[in-house]
Amino acid sequence: DAPPRNSISLDTMDTVASSTMNPIAKDARGYELLVTAHPLYSQTESSSSDTVDTYNVATEIGLNGPRVNVIRESATSGSQITRSVVASFPSSDGIPYCHSFGLSKNYAVIVLQPLRINYDIPQLLEKGFLRSMTPVDTTRVVVIQLDTGDIVVDQALEDPIYFYHSISTAEYEQDDETIVSLRLCAYSRPNQLTGEHQFLRMEQAQQGRKNRNKLEKGGTFCDVECNLTTQRIVVDWKTDITQGFELPLTRYSRSVGPPPIRQQPSDDTRKIIQNHPRFVYAFGAYALGSKDYDNWGLFKFDLQENRIAGVYQEDSVYTSEPVFVPNPSGENEDDGCLLASSYFGKEQETKLIVVDATTMNLIAVAPTGVKSPIEFHGVWIPDKCDEEQ
């Protein structure tokens, strides 16, 4: 969540540049205090065919107070990366914390949850920056057009939305209206971020089962739908799915694009520019209604039918975040496998498990011979990519 920002040589893996300074929109210079842990990638209408644009959201502090910047880094073959500010807006009620955001083909979606960084030094030293954050009155939703930098939606919601991770972003047109939808792993109360029992408080996990069973159960699917034409925002909590989960970022099935990659129902009249995936894969404790934190599992969620479509769970096996690997010749959205580094408690060994992403059955186990910490936010990169991939 914090700079410095590094440029790394892909040939040698050496750091070739590092910086925490950034020119903000009005030609002032501020200090880039925070940047989300999850940059996203897009090609807009103005992008050249050989350009890949990386976007991120940074929080900057300066003489005029905190600002939120949408940053674009463009790289073309044979050239250096250029970094620019797409859009910038002030945060008048304090320094926001933004761990992730949403990106469709044409828009960035930023949800500023109703918490602000507390810069009281004693509080920071005692609790850390997450648990010391202070509440504000509203959740703020901002949508920015990538090509122009225009802010097309900027609204406050009275109902709070708290989250670490966005999952996916959809963009579509219907009845001459443009709608952008951001899907989150969200919470209706701040305990997962600021409470005493955040689900990754591993120091509590070491204090016995009684303390582990106080840890939070994980998030709920939540769609924030922004109608750019009417300026209406609808928040849809998927409460039919009661299993808590976390770490869903990029752990979805192969298709986020328009049909025919993902079959569109005949009664769906939308013009889909970018779609939500049907299937999302995530880690969760308290598996399948268990009251015991130690029951961990990998879950396959079906967001078309709002249900758990499959689960991998074994006694005393503690899985990390799953990575979806598509079958290169597959046709169905969930045709692939999951990779997850997992700690086998009874054997006290970390192993890589391979799970069928369609059936959630175990395919293979690769032992490592060592113990290793739980990992998350990895990625699968195929050895060779064609232009469509």
Side-chain angles (χ1 to χ4, degrees):
D1 286 326
R5 179 178 66 254
N6 293 324
S7 297
I8 298 173
S9 167
L10 295 181
D11 294 326
T12 65
M13 298 304 292
D14 292 335
T15 299
V16 295
S18 178
S19 175
T20 57
M21 301 300 292
N22 176 59
I24 62 176
K26 296 183 178 179
D27 297 323
R29 294 190 71 86
Y31 180 79
E32 194 170 275
L33 180 68
L34 299 169
V35 65
T36 87
H38 301 285
L40 297 172
Y41 313 95
S42 180
Q43 278 196 325
T44 65
E45 297 297 332
S46 62
S47 301
S48 62
S49 59
D50 63 345
T51 299
V52 176
D53 293 328
T54 302
Y55 291 86
N56 213 334
V57 173
T59 300
E60 193 169 76
I61 55 175
L63 296 177
N64 297 321
R67 301 186 68 88
V68 177
N69 300 331
V70 177
I71 306 296
R72 176 169 54 219
E73 294 185 342
S74 301
T76 56
S77 45
S79 69
Q80 292 185 340
I81 295 173
T82 58
R83 195 171 197 262
S84 59
V85 177
V86 176
S88 181
F89 58 89
S91 176
S92 59
D93 57 359
I95 303 171
Y97 170 64
C98 188
H99 184 77
S100 62
F101 67 107
L103 194 75
S104 70
K105 181 176 177 59
N106 297 300
Y107 300 95
V109 186
I110 303 167
V111 177
L112 299 182
Q113 55 197 323
L115 294 170
R116 296 295 179 264
I117 301 296
N118 183 349
Y119 42 83
D120 178 81
I121 299 301
Q123 286 285 317
L124 285 170
L125 292 176
E126 178 185 353
K127 296 182 177 180
F129 88 93
L130 280 175
R131 290 171 55 214
S132 64
M133 287 193 292
T134 57
V136 296
D137 293 334
T138 58
T139 300
R140 185 178 178 185
V141 180
V142 180
V143 181
I144 293 168
Q145 188 168 346
L146 297 178
D147 276 346
T148 65
D150 292 339
I151 297 175
V152 294
V153 171
D154 187 352
Q155 290 197 28
L157 306 179
E158 292 186 0
D159 293 336
I161 301 173
Y162 304 96
F163 70 102
Y164 289 108
H165 295 114
S166 64
I167 299 173
S168 59
T169 310
E171 178 185 339
Y172 60 91
E173 297 173 1
Q174 188 172 29
D175 300 328
D176 298 322
E177 297 176 351
T178 300
I179 297 170
V180 178
S181 172
L182 174 62
R183 177 162 290 165
L184 303 171
C185 171
Y187 307 84
S188 59
R189 56 190 188 130
N191 299 43
Q192 186 65 286
L193 285 86
T194 62
E196 292 291 326
H197 306 296
Q198 299 158 306
F199 87 114
L200 282 177
R201 289 289 303 277
M202 292 305 174
E203 72 275 19
Q204 290 195 19
Q206 294 176 337
Q207 297 174 12
R209 177 168 293 185
K210 182 178 179 180
N211 282 286
R212 290 196 292 274
N213 288 343
K214 295 178 181 179
L215 297 175
E216 294 288 328
K217 290 180 169 57
T220 301
F221 288 100
C222 176
D223 289 356
V224 180
E225 298 189 354
C226 307
N227 189 313
L228 310 188
T229 307
T230 67
Q231 296 288 293
R232 184 182 180 214
I233 296 178
V234 176
V235 179
D236 179 18
W237 292 87
K238 309 289 186 182
T239 54
D240 289 344
I241 300 175
T242 58
Q243 172 67 50
F245 67 98
E246 252 300 346
L247 308 177
L249 197 77
T250 73
R251 313 306 164 223
Y252 41 71
S253 48
R254 67 171 58 236
S255 170
V256 295
I261 302 173
R262 173 178 171 184
Q263 188 60 45
Q264 187 170 2
S266 58
D267 59 349
D268 187 349
T269 60
R270 299 175 300 165
K271 177 186 176 183
I272 297 175
I273 299 167
Q274 181 169 311
N275 213 350
H276 285 305
R278 175 174 178 174
F279 301 109
V280 175
Y281 302 90
F283 144 88
Y286 304 98
L288 301 176
S290 171
K291 295 182 180 180
D292 193 345
Y293 174 84
D294 288 354
N295 287 332
W296 289 24
L298 299 180
F299 297 93
K300 177 183 181 180
F301 296 103
D302 184 338
L303 273 298
Q304 183 171 297
E305 299 183 0
N306 287 334
R307 66 184 182 90
I308 295 176
V311 61
Y312 165 79
Q313 198 267 335
E314 280 192 50
D315 182 42
S316 299
V317 175
Y318 304 96
T319 58
S320 296
E321 181 182 25
V323 176
F324 180 83
V325 181
N327 179 349
S329 59
E331 297 181 357
N332 297 322
E333 185 176 335
D334 58 349
D335 194 347
C337 66
L338 303 177
L339 302 179
S341 173
S342 304
Y343 181 68
F344 283 65
K346 293 179 179 179
E347 301 168 47
Q348 298 189 5
E349 182 181 4
T350 297
K351 304 179 183 182
L352 177 69
I353 63 171
V354 185
V355 177
D356 188 314
T358 302
T359 65
M360 295 301 289
N361 293 328
L362 186 66
I363 300 174
V365 179
T368 65
V370 298
K371 302 177 185 178
S372 64
I374 295 170
E375 62 81 28
F376 48 89
H377 301 341
V379 68
W380 168 261
I381 301 175
D383 184 43
K384 294 182 179 180
C385 297
D386 58 31
E387 291 183 359
E388 293 181 357
Q389 292 175 314

mmCIF file of all heavy atoms in Angstrom, residues 87-123:
data_model
loop_
_atom_site.group_PDB
_atom_site.id
_atom_site.type_symbol
_atom_site.label_atom_id
_atom_site.label_comp_id
_atom_site.label_asym_id
_atom_site.label_seq_id
_atom_site.Cartn_x
_atom_site.Cartn_y
_atom_site.Cartn_z
ATOM 1 N N ALA A 87 -6.327 11.889 -13.736
ATOM 2 C CA ALA A 87 -7.290 12.734 -13.043
ATOM 3 C C ALA A 87 -6.862 12.887 -11.599
ATOM 4 O O ALA A 87 -6.139 12.042 -11.050
ATOM 5 C CB ALA A 87 -8.690 12.132 -13.117
ATOM 6 N N SER A 88 -7.293 13.970 -10.981
ATOM 7 C CA SER A 88 -6.936 14.244 -9.600
ATOM 8 C C SER A 88 -8.087 14.980 -8.929
ATOM 9 O O SER A 88 -8.682 15.880 -9.518
ATOM 10 C CB SER A 88 -5.652 15.094 -9.547
ATOM 11 O OG SER A 88 -5.271 15.363 -8.215
ATOM 12 N N PHE A 89 -8.405 14.581 -7.702
ATOM 13 C CA PHE A 89 -9.467 15.281 -6.974
ATOM 14 C C PHE A 89 -9.123 15.330 -5.488
ATOM 15 O O PHE A 89 -8.445 14.446 -4.960
ATOM 16 C CB PHE A 89 -10.830 14.612 -7.204
ATOM 17 C CG PHE A 89 -10.913 13.168 -6.813
ATOM 18 C CD1 PHE A 89 -11.274 12.791 -5.520
ATOM 19 C CD2 PHE A 89 -10.639 12.159 -7.741
ATOM 20 C CE1 PHE A 89 -11.368 11.457 -5.162
ATOM 21 C CE2 PHE A 89 -10.725 10.813 -7.391
ATOM 22 C CZ PHE A 89 -11.094 10.469 -6.095
ATOM 23 N N PRO A 90 -9.564 16.375 -4.794
ATOM 24 C CA PRO A 90 -9.219 16.528 -3.378
ATOM 25 C C PRO A 90 -10.059 15.625 -2.490
ATOM 26 O O PRO A 90 -11.166 15.215 -2.845
ATOM 27 C CB PRO A 90 -9.529 18.004 -3.108
ATOM 28 C CG PRO A 90 -10.604 18.338 -4.082
ATOM 29 C CD PRO A 90 -10.322 17.529 -5.316
ATOM 30 N N SER A 91 -9.502 15.313 -1.323
ATOM 31 C CA SER A 91 -10.230 14.606 -0.273
ATOM 32 C C SER A 91 -10.270 15.529 0.932
ATOM 33 O O SER A 91 -9.334 15.576 1.731
ATOM 34 C CB SER A 91 -9.542 13.281 0.069
ATOM 35 O OG SER A 91 -10.187 12.644 1.149
ATOM 36 N N SER A 92 -11.366 16.292 1.056
ATOM 37 C CA SER A 92 -11.427 17.373 2.033
ATOM 38 C C SER A 92 -11.606 16.876 3.466
ATOM 39 O O SER A 92 -11.392 17.632 4.414
ATOM 40 C CB SER A 92 -12.567 18.333 1.679
ATOM 41 O OG SER A 92 -13.806 17.636 1.659
ATOM 42 N N ASP A 93 -12.017 15.604 3.640
ATOM 43 C CA ASP A 93 -12.277 15.106 4.991
ATOM 44 C C ASP A 93 -11.174 14.202 5.522
ATOM 45 O O ASP A 93 -11.389 13.416 6.437
ATOM 46 C CB ASP A 93 -13.624 14.388 5.054
ATOM 47 C CG ASP A 93 -13.720 13.234 4.059
ATOM 48 O OD1 ASP A 93 -12.746 13.015 3.305
ATOM 49 O OD2 ASP A 93 -14.759 12.559 4.037
ATOM 50 N N GLY A 94 -9.975 14.284 4.942
ATOM 51 C CA GLY A 94 -8.852 13.526 5.467
ATOM 52 C C GLY A 94 -8.179 12.657 4.425
ATOM 53 O O GLY A 94 -8.520 12.690 3.227
ATOM 54 N N ILE A 95 -7.219 11.870 4.884
ATOM 55 C CA ILE A 95 -6.423 11.019 3.992
ATOM 56 C C ILE A 95 -7.107 9.667 3.861
ATOM 57 O O ILE A 95 -7.176 8.896 4.820
ATOM 58 C CB ILE A 95 -5.000 10.835 4.561
ATOM 59 C CG1 ILE A 95 -4.319 12.193 4.761
ATOM 60 C CG2 ILE A 95 -4.169 9.951 3.638
ATOM 61 C CD1 ILE A 95 -2.995 12.106 5.510
ATOM 62 N N PRO A 96 -7.628 9.324 2.680
ATOM 63 C CA PRO A 96 -8.338 8.047 2.529
ATOM 64 C C PRO A 96 -7.377 6.875 2.387
ATOM 65 O O PRO A 96 -6.222 7.040 1.987
ATOM 66 C CB PRO A 96 -9.147 8.261 1.249
ATOM 67 C CG PRO A 96 -8.341 9.238 0.460
ATOM 68 C CD PRO A 96 -7.659 10.129 1.459
ATOM 69 N N TYR A 97 -7.889 5.687 2.715
ATOM 70 C CA TYR A 97 -7.143 4.448 2.516
ATOM 71 C C TYR A 97 -7.830 3.657 1.407
ATOM 72 O O TYR A 97 -8.997 3.310 1.505
ATOM 73 C CB TYR A 97 -7.105 3.619 3.796
ATOM 74 C CG TYR A 97 -6.561 2.221 3.584
ATOM 75 C CD1 TYR A 97 -5.248 2.030 3.171
ATOM 76 C CD2 TYR A 97 -7.368 1.106 3.783
ATOM 77 C CE1 TYR A 97 -4.743 0.758 2.972
ATOM 78 C CE2 TYR A 97 -6.863 -0.172 3.590
ATOM 79 C CZ TYR A 97 -5.560 -0.349 3.183
ATOM 80 O OH TYR A 97 -5.069 -1.611 2.975
ATOM 81 N N CYS A 98 -7.095 3.392 0.344
ATOM 82 C CA CYS A 98 -7.646 2.691 -0.816
ATOM 83 C C CYS A 98 -6.711 1.545 -1.173
ATOM 84 O O CYS A 98 -5.602 1.777 -1.669
ATOM 85 C CB CYS A 98 -7.803 3.665 -1.982
ATOM 86 S SG CYS A 98 -8.687 3.019 -3.410
ATOM 87 N N HIS A 99 -7.130 0.312 -0.906
ATOM 88 C CA HIS A 99 -6.284 -0.858 -1.148
ATOM 89 C C HIS A 99 -6.427 -1.375 -2.581
ATOM 90 O O HIS A 99 -5.514 -2.008 -3.104
ATOM 91 C CB HIS A 99 -6.658 -1.963 -0.161
ATOM 92 C CG HIS A 99 -5.787 -3.174 -0.248
ATOM 93 N ND1 HIS A 99 -4.515 -3.229 0.288
ATOM 94 C CD2 HIS A 99 -5.996 -4.394 -0.823
ATOM 95 C CE1 HIS A 99 -3.981 -4.408 0.046
ATOM 96 N NE2 HIS A 99 -4.848 -5.138 -0.623
ATOM 97 N N SER A 100 -7.581 -1.136 -3.218
ATOM 98 C CA SER A 100 -7.812 -1.568 -4.600
ATOM 99 C C SER A 100 -8.905 -0.717 -5.196
ATOM 100 O O SER A 100 -9.583 0.052 -4.499
ATOM 101 C CB SER A 100 -8.182 -3.059 -4.656
ATOM 102 O OG SER A 100 -9.384 -3.302 -3.957
ATOM 103 N N PHE A 101 -9.104 -0.844 -6.504
ATOM 104 C CA PHE A 101 -10.106 -0.050 -7.217
ATOM 105 C C PHE A 101 -10.606 -0.868 -8.396
ATOM 106 O O PHE A 101 -10.247 -2.045 -8.548
ATOM 107 C CB PHE A 101 -9.529 1.297 -7.659
ATOM 108 C CG PHE A 101 -8.452 1.185 -8.727
ATOM 109 C CD1 PHE A 101 -8.708 1.551 -10.033
ATOM 110 C CD2 PHE A 101 -7.188 0.700 -8.423
ATOM 111 C CE1 PHE A 101 -7.727 1.445 -11.013
ATOM 112 C CE2 PHE A 101 -6.202 0.589 -9.388
ATOM 113 C CZ PHE A 101 -6.468 0.961 -10.689
ATOM 114 N N GLY A 102 -11.446 -0.280 -9.227
ATOM 115 C CA GLY A 102 -11.985 -0.995 -10.378
ATOM 116 C C GLY A 102 -11.601 -0.325 -11.678
ATOM 117 O O GLY A 102 -11.419 0.895 -11.741
ATOM 118 N N LEU A 103 -11.477 -1.127 -12.735
ATOM 119 C CA LEU A 103 -11.111 -0.599 -14.048
ATOM 120 C C LEU A 103 -11.856 -1.373 -15.121
ATOM 121 O O LEU A 103 -11.736 -2.604 -15.214
ATOM 122 C CB LEU A 103 -9.603 -0.732 -14.269
ATOM 123 C CG LEU A 103 -9.021 0.058 -15.434
ATOM 124 C CD1 LEU A 103 -8.946 1.537 -15.088
ATOM 125 C CD2 LEU A 103 -7.627 -0.452 -15.790
ATOM 126 N N SER A 104 -12.623 -0.660 -15.924
ATOM 127 C CA SER A 104 -13.244 -1.264 -17.098
ATOM 128 C C SER A 104 -12.476 -0.783 -18.327
ATOM 129 O O SER A 104 -11.412 -0.164 -18.210
ATOM 130 C CB SER A 104 -14.724 -0.883 -17.192
ATOM 131 O OG SER A 104 -14.865 0.491 -17.515
ATOM 132 N N LYS A 105 -13.005 -1.034 -19.503
ATOM 133 C CA LYS A 105 -12.305 -0.618 -20.715
ATOM 134 C C LYS A 105 -12.156 0.900 -20.783
ATOM 135 O O LYS A 105 -11.134 1.422 -21.223
ATOM 136 C CB LYS A 105 -13.047 -1.113 -21.959
ATOM 137 C CG LYS A 105 -12.372 -0.749 -23.282
ATOM 138 C CD LYS A 105 -13.091 -1.337 -24.459
ATOM 139 C CE LYS A 105 -12.457 -0.913 -25.781
ATOM 140 N NZ LYS A 105 -11.045 -1.303 -25.890
ATOM 141 N N ASN A 106 -13.165 1.624 -20.283
ATOM 142 C CA ASN A 106 -13.180 3.068 -20.465
ATOM 143 C C ASN A 106 -13.219 3.879 -19.177
ATOM 144 O O ASN A 106 -13.122 5.111 -19.237
ATOM 145 C CB ASN A 106 -14.386 3.459 -21.326
ATOM 146 C CG ASN A 106 -14.309 2.876 -22.725
ATOM 147 O OD1 ASN A 106 -13.377 3.160 -23.467
ATOM 148 N ND2 ASN A 106 -15.267 2.028 -23.071
ATOM 149 N N TYR A 107 -13.367 3.218 -18.014
ATOM 150 C CA TYR A 107 -13.581 3.967 -16.783
ATOM 151 C C TYR A 107 -12.793 3.363 -15.617
ATOM 152 O O TYR A 107 -12.589 2.154 -15.543
ATOM 153 C CB TYR A 107 -15.074 3.995 -16.417
ATOM 154 C CG TYR A 107 -15.938 4.641 -17.464
ATOM 155 C CD1 TYR A 107 -16.583 3.869 -18.435
ATOM 156 C CD2 TYR A 107 -16.104 6.027 -17.507
ATOM 157 C CE1 TYR A 107 -17.375 4.455 -19.416
ATOM 158 C CE2 TYR A 107 -16.895 6.628 -18.485
ATOM 159 C CZ TYR A 107 -17.521 5.837 -19.435
ATOM 160 O OH TYR A 107 -18.296 6.418 -20.397
ATOM 161 N N ALA A 108 -12.388 4.240 -14.694
ATOM 162 C CA ALA A 108 -11.870 3.826 -13.396
ATOM 163 C C ALA A 108 -12.942 4.110 -12.352
ATOM 164 O O ALA A 108 -13.595 5.153 -12.388
ATOM 165 C CB ALA A 108 -10.594 4.586 -13.057
ATOM 166 N N VAL A 109 -13.125 3.159 -11.428
ATOM 167 C CA VAL A 109 -14.122 3.303 -10.363
ATOM 168 C C VAL A 109 -13.386 3.267 -9.023
ATOM 169 O O VAL A 109 -12.702 2.290 -8.710
ATOM 170 C CB VAL A 109 -15.176 2.177 -10.416
ATOM 171 C CG1 VAL A 109 -16.277 2.448 -9.384
ATOM 172 C CG2 VAL A 109 -15.773 2.047 -11.818
ATOM 173 N N ILE A 110 -13.541 4.328 -8.257
ATOM 174 C CA ILE A 110 -12.864 4.452 -6.970
ATOM 175 C C ILE A 110 -13.914 4.574 -5.883
ATOM 176 O O ILE A 110 -14.778 5.457 -5.939
ATOM 177 C CB ILE A 110 -11.941 5.685 -6.952
ATOM 178 C CG1 ILE A 110 -10.924 5.604 -8.092
ATOM 179 C CG2 ILE A 110 -11.231 5.810 -5.612
ATOM 180 C CD1 ILE A 110 -10.194 6.893 -8.351
ATOM 181 N N VAL A 111 -13.864 3.681 -4.913
ATOM 182 C CA VAL A 111 -14.746 3.745 -3.750
ATOM 183 C C VAL A 111 -13.887 4.106 -2.547
ATOM 184 O O VAL A 111 -12.992 3.344 -2.162
ATOM 185 C CB VAL A 111 -15.484 2.416 -3.517
ATOM 186 C CG1 VAL A 111 -16.333 2.497 -2.247
ATOM 187 C CG2 VAL A 111 -16.382 2.081 -4.715
ATOM 188 N N LEU A 112 -14.141 5.285 -1.982
ATOM 189 C CA LEU A 112 -13.428 5.718 -0.788
ATOM 190 C C LEU A 112 -14.277 5.335 0.414
ATOM 191 O O LEU A 112 -15.305 5.947 0.694
ATOM 192 C CB LEU A 112 -13.176 7.222 -0.822
ATOM 193 C CG LEU A 112 -12.329 7.743 -1.997
ATOM 194 C CD1 LEU A 112 -12.117 9.246 -1.856
ATOM 195 C CD2 LEU A 112 -10.994 7.026 -2.080
ATOM 196 N N GLN A 113 -13.832 4.301 1.112
ATOM 197 C CA GLN A 113 -14.596 3.835 2.270
ATOM 198 C C GLN A 113 -14.535 4.877 3.385
ATOM 199 O O GLN A 113 -13.611 5.709 3.420
ATOM 200 C CB GLN A 113 -14.067 2.488 2.727
ATOM 201 C CG GLN A 113 -12.589 2.443 3.021
ATOM 202 C CD GLN A 113 -12.076 1.016 3.074
ATOM 203 O OE1 GLN A 113 -12.747 0.124 3.554
ATOM 204 N NE2 GLN A 113 -10.867 0.800 2.583
ATOM 205 N N PRO A 114 -15.492 4.858 4.309
ATOM 206 C CA PRO A 114 -15.595 5.934 5.306
ATOM 207 C C PRO A 114 -14.599 5.795 6.457
ATOM 208 O O PRO A 114 -14.972 5.776 7.633
ATOM 209 C CB PRO A 114 -17.045 5.827 5.785
ATOM 210 C CG PRO A 114 -17.398 4.395 5.595
ATOM 211 C CD PRO A 114 -16.657 3.949 4.366
ATOM 212 N N LEU A 115 -13.331 5.709 6.096
ATOM 213 C CA LEU A 115 -12.234 5.667 7.069
ATOM 214 C C LEU A 115 -11.122 6.572 6.562
ATOM 215 O O LEU A 115 -10.866 6.644 5.360
ATOM 216 C CB LEU A 115 -11.699 4.242 7.228
ATOM 217 C CG LEU A 115 -12.630 3.203 7.848
ATOM 218 C CD1 LEU A 115 -12.029 1.809 7.704
ATOM 219 C CD2 LEU A 115 -12.909 3.514 9.316
ATOM 220 N N ARG A 116 -10.448 7.239 7.485
ATOM 221 C CA ARG A 116 -9.347 8.117 7.111
ATOM 222 C C ARG A 116 -8.129 7.807 7.979
ATOM 223 O O ARG A 116 -8.253 7.435 9.147
ATOM 224 C CB ARG A 116 -9.744 9.591 7.277
ATOM 225 C CG ARG A 116 -10.889 10.022 6.358
ATOM 226 C CD ARG A 116 -10.495 9.958 4.902
ATOM 227 N NE ARG A 116 -11.582 10.341 3.992
ATOM 228 C CZ ARG A 116 -12.397 9.476 3.393
ATOM 229 N NH1 ARG A 116 -12.260 8.167 3.618
ATOM 230 N NH2 ARG A 116 -13.341 9.888 2.580
ATOM 231 N N ILE A 117 -6.945 7.963 7.391
ATOM 232 C CA ILE A 117 -5.695 7.685 8.084
ATOM 233 C C ILE A 117 -5.541 8.636 9.275
ATOM 234 O O ILE A 117 -5.712 9.852 9.148
ATOM 235 C CB ILE A 117 -4.492 7.849 7.126
ATOM 236 C CG1 ILE A 117 -4.618 6.886 5.924
ATOM 237 C CG2 ILE A 117 -3.184 7.607 7.874
ATOM 238 C CD1 ILE A 117 -4.561 5.442 6.283
ATOM 239 N N ASN A 118 -5.229 8.053 10.404
ATOM 240 C CA ASN A 118 -4.973 8.824 11.619
ATOM 241 C C ASN A 118 -3.471 9.042 11.736
ATOM 242 O O ASN A 118 -2.708 8.089 11.846
ATOM 243 C CB ASN A 118 -5.510 8.055 12.834
ATOM 244 C CG ASN A 118 -5.361 8.809 14.134
ATOM 245 O OD1 ASN A 118 -4.681 9.824 14.198
ATOM 246 N ND2 ASN A 118 -5.995 8.310 15.182
ATOM 247 N N TYR A 119 -3.033 10.304 11.703
ATOM 248 C CA TYR A 119 -1.594 10.556 11.764
ATOM 249 C C TYR A 119 -1.143 10.966 13.157
ATOM 250 O O TYR A 119 -0.108 11.604 13.332
ATOM 251 C CB TYR A 119 -1.164 11.593 10.720
ATOM 252 C CG TYR A 119 -2.091 12.782 10.565
ATOM 253 C CD1 TYR A 119 -2.009 13.870 11.417
ATOM 254 C CD2 TYR A 119 -3.046 12.800 9.548
ATOM 255 C CE1 TYR A 119 -2.852 14.943 11.287
ATOM 256 C CE2 TYR A 119 -3.900 13.880 9.407
ATOM 257 C CZ TYR A 119 -3.802 14.950 10.272
ATOM 258 O OH TYR A 119 -4.643 16.028 10.137
ATOM 259 N N ASP A 120 -1.930 10.561 14.177
ATOM 260 C CA ASP A 120 -1.490 10.733 15.557
ATOM 261 C C ASP A 120 -0.417 9.677 15.855
ATOM 262 O O ASP A 120 -0.694 8.476 15.826
ATOM 263 C CB ASP A 120 -2.673 10.582 16.506
ATOM 264 C CG ASP A 120 -2.267 10.701 17.962
ATOM 265 O OD1 ASP A 120 -2.104 11.832 18.445
ATOM 266 O OD2 ASP A 120 -2.105 9.640 18.606
ATOM 267 N N ILE A 121 0.802 10.110 16.109
ATOM 268 C CA ILE A 121 1.939 9.195 16.221
ATOM 269 C C ILE A 121 1.749 8.156 17.323
ATOM 270 O O ILE A 121 1.976 6.956 17.084
ATOM 271 C CB ILE A 121 3.253 9.977 16.423
ATOM 272 C CG1 ILE A 121 3.502 10.903 15.226
ATOM 273 C CG2 ILE A 121 4.423 9.007 16.589
ATOM 274 C CD1 ILE A 121 3.606 10.190 13.898
ATOM 275 N N PRO A 122 1.331 8.515 18.524
ATOM 276 C CA PRO A 122 1.136 7.486 19.556
ATOM 277 C C PRO A 122 0.119 6.418 19.146
ATOM 278 O O PRO A 122 0.323 5.228 19.415
ATOM 279 C CB PRO A 122 0.655 8.293 20.772
ATOM 280 C CG PRO A 122 1.226 9.650 20.575
ATOM 281 C CD PRO A 122 1.170 9.879 19.099
ATOM 282 N N GLN A 123 -0.984 6.846 18.493
ATOM 283 C CA GLN A 123 -1.979 5.880 18.034
ATOM 284 C C GLN A 123 -1.401 4.954 16.966
ATOM 285 O O GLN A 123 -1.646 3.747 16.968
ATOM 286 C CB GLN A 123 -3.200 6.618 17.471
ATOM 287 C CG GLN A 123 -4.089 7.260 18.512
ATOM 288 C CD GLN A 123 -4.937 6.228 19.234
ATOM 289 O OE1 GLN A 123 -5.490 5.328 18.629
ATOM 290 N NE2 GLN A 123 -5.017 6.356 20.548
#
